[in-house]
Amino acid sequence: AAGAGGGGGGTSGLKKQSYKITGDPHCPDGAPNSAVKMTCSRSNFRAAGWKEEDFRKPIVTIAAPYSNSMPCNNQFRDLADILAEEIERLGGKAHLAITPVISDGQTQGTKAMRYSLVSREVITDCIELMHEGYCADAIISLGGCDKSVPAA
C-alpha cells in the first residue's frame, strides 16, 4: 500500500491525531479542526517548509535526548536526521523533539549534579510536550544513558 504522502511505506493508517493541528480536509470548512479553521497552524507549518501534501501525512515524533558533550548521546542528532529521512521516504512527516540531557559522570561531585538528578523528568516532559503539543500520530524515542533510556 502506498504511504499517505505517496511514499511506499503504508503510513496512511497512522494519520489520526495530527488532523487536529494540520486540519482535516474531510471536515466542512466551519467545523472544528477543518483545514479552514486551522489556517494559522497551516501557515506556520508552511513557513517551516511544509508542502500541501505534507498535511495529509502522519506526524511522527522523533524524540532525541542530545548533547554534543557526552558520548552516550552525542550521535543522536545524526541518528534523528537519518530516522527523519526514512520516515519521509515512507510517507510520514518527521517531527524532531530534541531534548536536553545531563550526565551524572560529568557532573558528579559538583553543584551541577542537582540538575542531573531531575533530568529524567525534564527529558520526559520535553518529549511529551513536543509530541502531544503537535498532536503527533506516532513516536520513535532514542535513549543512550541512565537518564535518557528511562525518560524516553
Side-chain angles (χ1 to χ4, degrees):
T11 59
S12 59
L14 288 175
K15 180 89 173 166
K16 295 187 186 341
Q17 293 297 317
S18 61
Y19 279 131
K20 294 174 185 174
I21 198 166
T22 63
D24 188 343
H26 303 101
C27 286
D29 286 349
N33 303 319
S34 70
V36 170
K37 287 277 189 173
M38 300 311 296
T39 299
C40 182
S41 173
R42 294 167 68 87
S43 68
N44 278 284
F45 284 121
R46 280 192 174 89
W50 284 40
K51 306 291 184 226
E52 185 60 34
E53 61 271 13
D54 292 333
F55 295 105
R56 295 185 296 274
K57 298 175 181 179
I59 297 175
V60 180
T61 301
I62 302 168
Y66 171 76
S67 170
N68 64 349
S69 300
M70 51 192 297
C72 52
N73 293 305
N74 69 353
Q75 71 280 22
F76 283 179
R77 179 56 204 247
D78 293 337
L79 289 174
D81 288 341
I82 291 167
L83 286 169
E85 289 174 13
E86 190 63 13
I87 287 166
E88 301 272 342
R89 187 185 71 76
L90 292 171
K93 189 66 184 164
H95 169 63
L96 296 179
I98 307 297
T99 75
V101 62
I102 305 290
S103 168
D104 283 349
Q106 291 170 317
T107 61
Q108 191 171 14
T110 71
K111 286 176 65 173
M113 185 70 179
R114 70 181 79 170
Y115 298 101
S116 178
L117 294 175
V118 299
S119 66
R120 284 184 190 147
E121 288 79 16
V122 171
I123 294 166
T124 301
D125 289 346
C126 288
I127 292 169
E128 180 180 9
L129 181 115
M130 292 296 286
H131 182 70
E132 295 295 328
Y134 284 89
C135 303
D137 301 294
I139 189 167
I140 298 170
S141 296
L142 301 174
C145 69
D146 67 324
K147 297 298 182 230
S148 62
V149 170

